[in-house]
């Protein structure tokens, strides 16, 4: 099946610094990538949807200036958490689909997640 | 509005017994239904999906799910549980009526923790 990687798998940073998380589709071209946030023992919260070459669409309540998303190529999307604070600590998961805007029948392939801890 | 309900936070079953993880959904158009499994500190792994056709869908690791349109349900089942099946299971749905920026969006249930004891 299709493989999606994330890097880093775990990051610890000081409050006020910025952290970049990479999401790569390894064996397919990802027209659309999704970024989720997951709190312990809770479901995935969609943060934003990004299509290659265009601006990301953010969900209501997600600060676009704080969570910068770039989808510059068909195999790479990045999420940058700017001026991170302890409340940003969470498990961030990306997913990718090879259909336009995710399509309806294509399954999303998920990365392994990135555990962010802000001290 | 689109939503997915997984009414049980936790399901416990003995190894070798059948298991069921429940899921009901609400969409405006036709549903496209998915089950994913998550192991600790990992991303989600795709198990199976229902798009159209036979209501009984077979997926990975011996799992299957039955689409019931009248009950708006898509319960996940396995005839004989294994200890290694212990994980967090998510049901998700896409809505055929979604367009534009929401096209292809998955709506997730809150997850059901399955524990299979030896």
């Amino acid at each position: 099946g299709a493989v999606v990687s994330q890097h880093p798998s775990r990051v610890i940073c000081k409050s006020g610094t910025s952290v970049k998380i990479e999401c790569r589709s390894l064996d397919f071209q990802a027209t659309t990538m999704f970024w989720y946030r997951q709190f312990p023992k809770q479901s995935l919260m969609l943060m934003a949807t990004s299509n290659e070459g265009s601006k990301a669409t953010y969900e209501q309540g997600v600060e676009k200036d704080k969570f910068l998303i770039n989808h510059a190529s068909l195999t790479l999307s990045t999420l940058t958490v700017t001026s991170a604070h302890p409340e940003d600590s969470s498990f961030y998961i990306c997913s990718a689909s090879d259909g336009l805007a995710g399509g309806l029948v294509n399954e999303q392939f998920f990365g392994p997640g990135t555990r962010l801890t802000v001290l | 509005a689109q939503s997915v309900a997984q009414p049980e936070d936790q399901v416990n079953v003995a190894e070798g017994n059948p298991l069921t993880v429940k899921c009901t959904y609400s969409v405006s158009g036709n549903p496209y239904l998915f089950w994913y499994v998550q192991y600790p500190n990992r991303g989600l792994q795709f198990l199976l999906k229902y798009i159209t056709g036979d209501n009984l869908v077979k997926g990975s690791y011996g799992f299957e799910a039955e689409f019931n349109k009248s009950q708006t349900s898509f319960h996940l089942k396995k005839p004989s549980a294994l200890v290694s099946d212990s994980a967090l299971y998510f049901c998700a749905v896409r809505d055929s009526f979604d367009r534009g920026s929401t096209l292809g969006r998955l709506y997730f249930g809150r997850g059901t923790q399955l524990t299979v004891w030896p």
Side-chain angles (χ1 to χ4, degrees):
Chain A
V3 178
V4 175
S5 70
Q6 271 184 253
H7 178 80
S9 59
R10 183 180 294 269
V11 58
I12 301 173
C13 68
K14 293 182 179 180
S15 184
T17 60
S18 294
V19 175
K20 179 184 284 189
I21 302 170
E22 292 186 349
C23 177
R24 294 181 184 272
S25 58
L26 298 185
D27 50 4
F28 68 102
Q29 292 186 326
T31 311
T32 305
M33 287 185 168
F34 303 83
W35 286 95
Y36 297 86
R37 184 173 178 176
Q38 186 181 30
F39 293 99
K41 300 186 184 299
Q42 293 191 28
S43 188
L44 281 72
M45 182 192 80
L46 180 65
M47 299 175 66
T49 303
S50 71
N51 289 297
E52 185 265 339
S54 62
K55 289 184 178 180
T57 301
Y58 289 80
E59 294 298 302
Q60 192 172 8
V62 178
E63 300 176 60
K64 60 182 66 177
D65 293 332
K66 181 168 186 61
F67 299 99
L68 301 178
I69 291 172
N70 184 282
H71 192 164
S73 78
L74 285 172
T75 59
L76 173 65
S77 176
T78 60
L79 167 68
T80 301
V81 183
T82 62
S83 186
H85 290 283
E87 57 266 30
D88 298 324
S89 298
S90 192
F91 194 53
Y92 292 88
I93 304 175
C94 73
S95 71
S97 174
D98 58 359
L100 182 63
L104 284 172
V105 302
N106 308 53
E107 61 260 31
Q108 290 181 19
F109 301 99
F110 286 80
T114 297
R115 173 73 61 191
L116 171 64
T117 303
V118 185
L119 302 176
Chain B
Q2 300 87 349
S3 67
V4 176
Q6 292 180 244
E8 302 155 317
D9 288 337
Q10 182 99 21
V11 169
N12 300 311
V13 64
E15 187 172 35
N17 283 0
L19 70 87
T20 299
V21 182
K22 295 180 180 177
C23 171
T24 59
Y25 65 89
S26 175
V27 294
S28 300
N30 293 320
Y32 297 81
L33 294 151
F34 302 79
W35 274 101
Y36 288 88
V37 59
Q38 184 181 33
Y39 295 96
N41 295 310
R42 302 293 299 275
L44 275 64
Q45 296 179 27
F46 169 76
L47 279 179
L48 51 80
K49 66 180 178 182
Y50 170 82
I51 303 301
T52 186
D54 195 347
N55 288 344
L56 184 63
V57 178
K58 293 186 183 298
S60 307
Y61 313 119
F63 284 94
E64 58 187 29
E66 186 165 12
F67 171 61
N68 187 317
K69 187 174 182 178
S70 63
Q71 296 185 4
T72 62
S73 68
F74 190 57
H75 302 329
L76 181 70
K77 300 181 180 182
K78 187 173 182 179
S80 179
L82 299 172
V83 172
S84 58
D85 292 330
S86 299
L88 186 58
Y89 290 80
F90 288 100
C91 180
V93 68
R94 279 198 183 120
D95 189 343
S96 68
F97 273 18
D98 274 354
R99 292 290 184 271
S101 63
T102 60
L103 177 65
R105 175 180 174 168
L106 280 173
Y107 300 89
F108 283 90
R110 62 181 181 179
T112 298
Q113 180 66 48
L114 172 67
T115 302
V116 182
W117 71 83

